[in-house]
Amino acid sequence: GNSVTQMEGPVTLSEEAFLTINCTYTATGYPSLFWYVQYPGEGLQLLLKATKADDKGSNKGFEATYRKETTSFHLEKGSVQVSDSAVYFCALSGGSGGYQKVTFGTGTKLQVIP
Amino acid sequence: DAGVTQSPTHLIKTRGQQVTLRCSPKSGHDTVSWYQQALGQGPQFIFQYYEEEERQRGNFPDRFSGHQFPNYSSELNVNALLLGDSALYLCASSFFVDPLNTEAFFGQGTRLTVV
């Protein structure tokens, strides 16, 4: 079945530092890949997505590239802000699970300090 | 547009009781999915409803059941509550026909505590 593995947190960075959160996946076929963000006390928001190999998803300065050869979808941002503090979830749909079901990783908590 | 709305926001129940959680999807969406998010974990898929039928189900026992109404809103029912059912329950809505190009919108969730 489908699965997602992402780096454990928490990750603590100073403001304006470079961010990388690693994510790898296991799925058959050609899944769609996502990054969701969860701010304290809130639900999930879709941050970015990529639906085929070599696609780059980007939003709010964050970006991730769908790498089928390494089954990875690492999240990066060049300069983080305090307001980026949240929990980030890598996720996928498709493959053996069907496109209507989303499989999530365990989440990585990011804390950005001034 | 109010987005996905869930009620109640918080709930405390006693072990063995039954609970019903409610979800109204985003306007224009016809599919509702439910997820359980335990503390410190990622959301786990429970099941999905489209056209008032359960279309797909995750690895959850039959104590978890649901319903979708003609207006696309949905309920999640959990019977014989266990302490381990304590979690944040998230509802997501989407458009069934074109899942690849339709973002799934999540509600704020219902925090269920079983004591």
Side-chain angles (χ1 to χ4, degrees), chain A residues 12-18 78-84 111-114:
Chain A
T12 302
L13 295 174
S14 297
E15 205 165 22
E16 299 183 2
F18 184 86
S79 176
V80 294
Q81 305 300 312
V82 172
S83 58
D84 294 327
Q111 183 178 14
V112 180
I113 54 178

Side-chain angles (χ1 to χ4, degrees), chain B residues 7-85:
Chain B
S7 62
T9 54
H10 295 83
L11 204 52
I12 299 175
K13 289 287 190 178
T14 302
R15 191 172 45 183
Q17 284 188 314
Q18 179 263 345
V19 69
T20 297
L21 311 182
R22 294 176 176 83
C23 172
S24 292
K26 178 179 170 60
S27 178
H29 284 180
D30 56 12
T31 303
V32 172
S33 302
W34 287 93
Y35 291 80
Q36 180 195 66
Q37 186 180 12
L39 197 61
Q41 299 296 314
Q44 298 290 317
F45 177 79
I46 302 175
F47 45 51
Q48 179 188 81
Y49 277 84
Y50 169 66
E51 290 188 331
E52 303 179 47
E53 290 187 12
E54 184 182 295
R55 297 291 174 161
Q56 201 170 1
R57 188 180 183 92
N59 189 26
F60 280 80
D62 291 345
R63 299 186 297 109
F64 289 78
S65 64
H67 188 76
Q68 185 179 35
F69 299 94
N71 67 353
Y72 307 120
S73 67
S74 176
E75 289 182 348
L76 164 66
N77 301 292
V78 187
N79 294 322
L81 284 167
L82 304 174
L83 296 179
D85 294 332

Side-chain angles (χ1 to χ4, degrees), chain A:
Chain A
N2 294 342
S3 68
V4 175
T5 303
Q6 62 182 106
M7 63 186 285
E8 292 195 16
V11 174
T12 302
L13 295 174
S14 297
E15 205 165 22
E16 299 183 2
F18 184 86
L19 168 71
T20 299
I21 301 178
N22 291 334
C23 171
T24 58
Y25 67 90
T26 300
T28 57
Y30 300 91
S32 294
L33 303 176
F34 310 90
W35 278 99
Y36 282 86
V37 59
Q38 188 172 39
Y39 297 102
E42 298 187 12
L44 293 170
Q45 299 175 28
L46 179 66
L47 181 59
L48 54 84
K49 71 176 184 182
T51 57
K52 60 182 186 294
D54 299 325
D55 265 3
K56 178 184 284 187
S58 61
N59 186 26
K60 300 180 181 179
F62 291 89
E63 58 183 35
T65 301
Y66 189 141
R67 300 289 188 198
K68 190 162 177 65
E69 64 276 15
T70 55
T71 62
S72 65
F73 193 55
H74 305 319
L75 182 68
E76 296 182 337
K77 186 176 185 182
S79 176
V80 294
Q81 305 300 312
V82 172
S83 58
D84 294 327
S85 298
V87 180
Y88 292 82
F89 292 93
C90 185
L92 69 82
S93 68
S96 60
Y99 282 99
Q100 292 291 347
K101 170 187 173 182
V102 182
T103 300
F104 290 86
T106 54
T108 302
K109 184 175 182 179
L110 170 66
Q111 183 178 14
V112 180
I113 54 178

